[in-house]
Amino acid sequence: MKRILVTGGAGFIGSHLCERLLKEGNEVICLDNFFTGSKSKIIDLMGHPYFEWVRHDVTMPYYIEVDEIYNLACPASPVHYQFNAIKTIKTSVLGAINMLGLAKRVKAKILQASTSEVYGDPDIHPQTEDYWGNVNPIGIRSCYDEGKRCAESLFVNYHNQNDVRIKVIRIFNTYGPRMEPNDGRVVSNFIVQALNGNDITIFGDGKQTRSFQYVDDLIEGMIRMMATGDDFTGPVNIGNPDEFTMLELASKIIELTGSNSKIVHLPLPQDDPTQRQPDISLAKEKLNDWQPVVKLEEGLIKTIQYFDQLLKDPK
Ligand code: NAD
Ligand code: UDP
Ligand code: UDP
């Protein structure tokens, strides 16, 4: 049995990861400051004898003995990471330093939840891991993008200087049950708007693209990455290469919910990437033929069911 620390464990992805790690017979410590996470996401795990949760902020040092660390603590939705931009940078950077210091002290393996945002508004398509990205260092997304880029640099340097066993994954847009209705990201926004019969808010002309990954596929990729040998550190893209425009996503969600909602166009936020699609050749090669198996429609149906239930019976 391994003892595993999951920072950001009470968030959308973190709660799925804690659940999966417990199912595999591990002891799990979920660390979270509940900024965007909530106890409701981990309530079903709380009775598990090998599950512990801790209210703690990763910007502060934390001492524990563990075998593995998954570092997910960081708000991920533009609305939330821009709410307190300085705090977002501190969470990414100081959080990475503290968790790397911990990994160094106890010789734990540590995985960083990095992001496709390190590629910024990419001018190569699809994005491969050797692309350095096109990020505006002073724009409204920079607190998140540069925070995550600095964290990647910290990971690589703790590996090179201190032999810390690191794993860096670059996660592309992920969705699924346990997203917050007010999370602000596009899939949850459109589904909640459609179910409530409200206008669907497309930012800009809706021709920008994203490639959406269902959360179960991501969790499988994370577990496989952690299990790779110490010589493979990443970064590796984990995402679904099926690419859609926001107009296509909106129509799909209207169709699947049977909603009467109308599409309205709002201004496009600054620095909003125009296209995004992962090249997943490296993940396939290094992660035992890993690739996403859940198609957009199938994943959306499950996510719509989740929100439908949640809106009828808010927890
Ligand atoms: P989320 O907002 O649901 O989860 C983030 C969690 O981190 C929350 O539970 C929050 O309370 C916690 N947190 C934030 N600041 C903290 C701090 N200072 N100390 C302790 N806990 C803190 O978002 P998510 O989608 O589950 O994202 C999880 C991770 O995956 C993030 O690091 C995010 O950057 C990364 N990621 C997500 C996506 C995606 O599409 N969902 C894409 C790329 C990367
Ligand atoms: N740290 C931590 N938990 C540990 C070990 C270290 O939170 O178990 C923090 C520590 O407070 C420090 C950071 O991690 O601020 C980086 O640790 P490192 O050993 O790399 O740096 P140093 O302590 O030498 O500054
Ligand atoms: N978006 C939108 N309407 C919304 C929320 C988002 O059209 O209500 C757009 C947003 O401008 C972006 C895309 O959807 O082009 C994905 O946004 P999200 O915040 O989910 O993720 P990110 O931009 O970080 O990839």
Side-chain angles (χ1 to χ4, degrees):
M1 178 185 268
K2 278 182 283 195
R3 189 181 302 146
I4 303 177
L5 175 66
V6 179
T7 78
F12 157 52
I13 295 172
S15 63
H16 286 275
L17 181 63
C18 289
E19 187 182 347
R20 168 79 185 261
L21 292 170
L22 283 170
K23 266 196 196 126
E24 292 191 351
N26 301 291
E27 186 175 353
V28 174
I29 296 104
C30 161
L31 179 157
D32 208 293
N33 71 348
F34 299 107
F35 173 48
T36 49
S38 73
K39 285 188 206 157
S40 64
K41 292 194 210 306
I42 50 168
I43 201 148
D44 293 341
L45 308 179
M46 284 182 182
H48 195 295
Y50 292 107
F51 181 73
E52 275 170 76
W53 63 276
V54 191
R55 183 186 291 266
H56 184 82
D57 193 309
V58 280
T59 60
M60 306 299 285
Y62 183 68
Y63 287 80
I64 191 170
E65 317 302 313
V66 287
D67 304 299
E68 291 177 355
I69 304 165
Y70 288 85
N71 188 36
L72 275 64
C74 187
S77 160
V79 180
H80 294 299
Y81 70 62
Q82 286 162 21
F83 173 74
N84 183 344
I86 297 168
K87 175 70 191 203
T88 300
I89 300 174
K90 286 184 184 172
T91 293
S92 272
V93 176
L94 297 177
I97 292 175
N98 287 329
M99 291 307 109
L100 285 161
L102 170 60
K104 182 177 95 174
R105 182 178 61 79
V106 301
K107 299 192 171 27
K109 232 194 268 190
I110 179 166
L111 180 143
Q112 168 67 356
S114 190
T115 168
S116 52
E117 281 287 319
V118 301
Y119 302 124
D121 190 3
D123 40 30
I124 74 139
H125 196 73
Q127 293 80 55
T128 44
E129 289 83 354
D130 56 7
Y131 175 53
W132 292 353
N134 177 33
V135 171
N136 175 358
I138 54 169
I140 56 170
R141 296 172 86 99
S142 70
C143 58
Y144 183 73
D145 299 9
E146 298 292 12
K148 289 283 188 179
R149 286 168 69 97
C150 183
E152 284 202 13
S153 174
L154 283 162
F155 267 71
V156 165
N157 286 301
Y158 267 80
H159 175 69
N160 293 341
Q161 254 172 264
N162 295 326
D163 293 325
V164 174
R165 296 182 293 155
I166 62 153
K167 307 278 170 196
V168 178
I169 59 167
R170 292 182 178 154
I171 303 170
F172 283 65
N173 298 62
T174 303
Y175 69 97
R178 299 204 197 125
M179 294 184 91
E180 286 293 322
N182 66 350
D183 177 82
R185 280 176 281 189
V186 69
V187 174
S188 45
N189 270 12
F190 286 3
I191 292 178
V192 171
Q193 289 163 346
L195 290 174
N196 286 334
N198 296 332
D199 291 344
I200 307 261
T201 55
I202 289 193
F203 299 164
D205 62 10
K207 291 187 182 140
Q208 70 271 38
T209 67
R210 294 293 187 273
S211 306
F212 298 102
Q213 160 175 248
Y214 188 67
V215 63
D216 289 358
D217 286 328
L218 166 63
I219 301 297
E220 182 60 33
M222 294 177 98
I223 302 271
R224 289 195 196 192
M225 180 59 174
M226 191 59 114
T228 54
D230 289 347
D231 56 330
F232 184 58
T233 60
V236 60
N237 292 337
I238 304 286
N240 188 324
D242 294 345
E243 185 183 3
F244 299 88
T245 65
M246 295 313 103
L247 279 168
E248 287 168 333
L249 179 71
S251 313
K252 189 44 87 192
I253 288 174
I254 289 172
E255 177 198 321
L256 293 175
T257 51
S259 172
N260 296 323
S261 293
K262 301 274 167 292
I263 288 176
V264 295
H265 290 266
L266 298 180
L268 187 69
Q270 186 200 3
D271 295 337
D272 199 282
T274 47
Q275 54 180 0
R276 183 179 291 154
Q277 185 193 38
D279 180 317
I280 59 165
S281 321
L282 184 66
K284 277 187 187 155
E285 182 198 327
K286 298 286 187 183
L287 307 183
N288 226 346
D289 244 353
W290 173 87
Q291 58 182 314
V293 295
V294 182
K295 290 277 166 215
L296 183 66
E297 180 159 326
E298 187 188 345
L300 285 179
I301 290 170
K302 291 185 190 177
T303 312
I304 290 166
Q305 279 166 356
Y306 164 78
F307 277 113
D308 196 32
Q309 189 59 39
L310 188 74
L311 295 176
K312 282 182 191 140
D313 178 19
K315 283 187 201 123

